[in-house]
Amino acid sequence: GLNDDDATAIRTNSLNNDTPGRIPQIEFLKKYQPTMAMISIGGNDVEFANTINKCVTSSCMAGNGGKALKTKTLSSIFNIYDDLVKLYKKLHDESPDTRLFAVGYPSFISDDDNAKCPANASFNREERIFIKQSLVYLNDVIEAAAKKAGVTYIDIEGSIAGHEMCRTNKSSPNYMNGILYGNDIEVANLKVIAQETFHPKAVGYEAIAKHIDQNYNELITYKNPACPNEPTGYCTGQGT
């Protein structure tokens, strides 16, 4: 394993070269004080991926087990509100002139009656309704926490509409990954699932970026008349 000196060197190199994945991302915010930053967080905290994996490998909504899973999921989403508020405020405290944008999640699965899922993302309609409604609730909590902390919320819920998993119209391309095999996520004590599982494909991320540009361009590029040369609308000592 690494000794303390090696670990410190790796962390320092990561920070100096803007290499993510080796140190907490807040360290980049503190060091570089960017004019703006977008934050997408919450899904992992409520173990959303684990919940989806349960549904794709079994009938997760059946019986008392389904009721318990619903209760646990909704409770987990409700309980992240305070943590999100604290996080957004901490980010602002560490970089007060950075315009912060909290980005929600895209609605990535259809609850259409006649929709058919691919083999690597097999959900029945009850499961799809549960997943979709849980995601809507998660976005609602993220938006409420952002507003409480004074952070701007970016709504991307409909950004890949028509290209979700399990949609009725099969002529439109799917922008989402189903289960992908890799060595990131553990199942039965073996790391066999890739972290890109149930995340957008490259074309999905392109659609999300286009959605943000089309719907929030004016907000993101807003300029404060008192500081017209500042691209994010901030004036030193004057806040937003």
Side-chain angles (χ1 to χ4, degrees):
L2 296 174
N3 60 40
D4 290 343
D5 289 340
D6 289 337
T8 299
I10 288 174
R11 287 193 291 268
T12 301
N13 182 68
S14 175
L15 184 60
N16 291 338
N17 292 284
D18 197 13
T19 306
R22 295 181 176 181
I23 59 173
Q25 293 189 58
I26 193 172
E27 297 301 324
F28 296 104
L29 195 73
K30 291 163 62 176
K31 177 178 175 65
Y32 295 106
Q33 301 286 301
T35 54
M36 62 172 286
M38 290 188 175
I39 312 131
S40 178
I41 195 168
N44 288 347
D45 297 274
V46 300
E47 298 184 352
F48 206 49
N50 290 340
T51 299
I52 297 172
N53 285 334
K54 287 180 182 178
C55 292
V56 80
T57 56
S58 64
S59 298
C60 68
M61 288 292 97
N64 291 331
K67 293 179 182 178
L69 184 59
K70 284 182 180 179
T71 300
K72 179 183 177 182
T73 301
L74 296 179
S75 177
S76 295
I77 294 172
F78 177 83
N79 287 330
I80 67 167
Y81 173 82
D82 287 336
D83 288 339
L84 288 176
V85 173
K86 291 176 183 177
L87 172 64
Y88 297 146
K89 288 183 175 180
K90 181 175 178 59
L91 293 173
H92 174 71
D93 290 342
E94 296 291 358
S95 186
D97 287 336
T98 298
R99 289 190 80 204
L100 297 174
F101 297 89
V103 184
Y105 290 90
S107 183
F108 64 88
I109 193 166
S110 167
D111 59 0
D112 293 344
D113 286 336
N114 300 317
K116 292 184 179 180
C117 297
N120 65 347
S122 180
F123 303 97
N124 62 40
R125 185 162 186 260
E126 187 178 11
E127 291 167 345
R128 289 186 283 112
I129 291 173
F130 160 66
I131 292 170
K132 187 168 184 175
Q133 290 180 345
S134 297
L135 185 137
V136 169
Y137 182 41
L138 175 59
N139 281 338
D140 287 344
V141 170
I142 293 171
E143 180 177 12
K147 289 182 177 179
K148 176 70 174 179
V151 171
T152 302
Y153 177 71
I154 298 291
D155 182 359
I156 63 168
E157 204 165 286
S159 58
I160 60 171
H163 302 279
E164 313 97 315
M165 289 193 300
C166 309
R167 64 210 177 282
T168 304
N169 181 8
K170 292 299 179 182
S171 64
S172 62
N174 174 25
Y175 285 0
M176 290 293 301
N177 289 315
I179 289 181
L180 299 178
Y181 296 104
N183 60 355
D184 301 309
I185 300 172
E186 189 173 284
V187 177
N189 297 320
L190 294 174
K191 289 189 175 182
V192 294
I193 305 297
Q195 63 183 1
E196 293 85 3
T197 291
F198 300 126
H199 281 69
K201 300 176 180 179
V203 67
Y205 283 116
E206 290 173 5
I208 292 169
K210 183 177 180 180
H211 174 89
I212 294 173
D213 182 59
Q214 290 178 338
N215 291 278
Y216 293 96
N217 180 267
E218 183 177 350
L219 177 66
I220 292 171
T221 59
Y222 162 78
K223 295 184 178 181
N224 187 329
C227 293
N229 294 323
E230 289 294 331
T232 61
Y234 276 91
C235 291
T236 302
Q238 296 185 34
T240 56

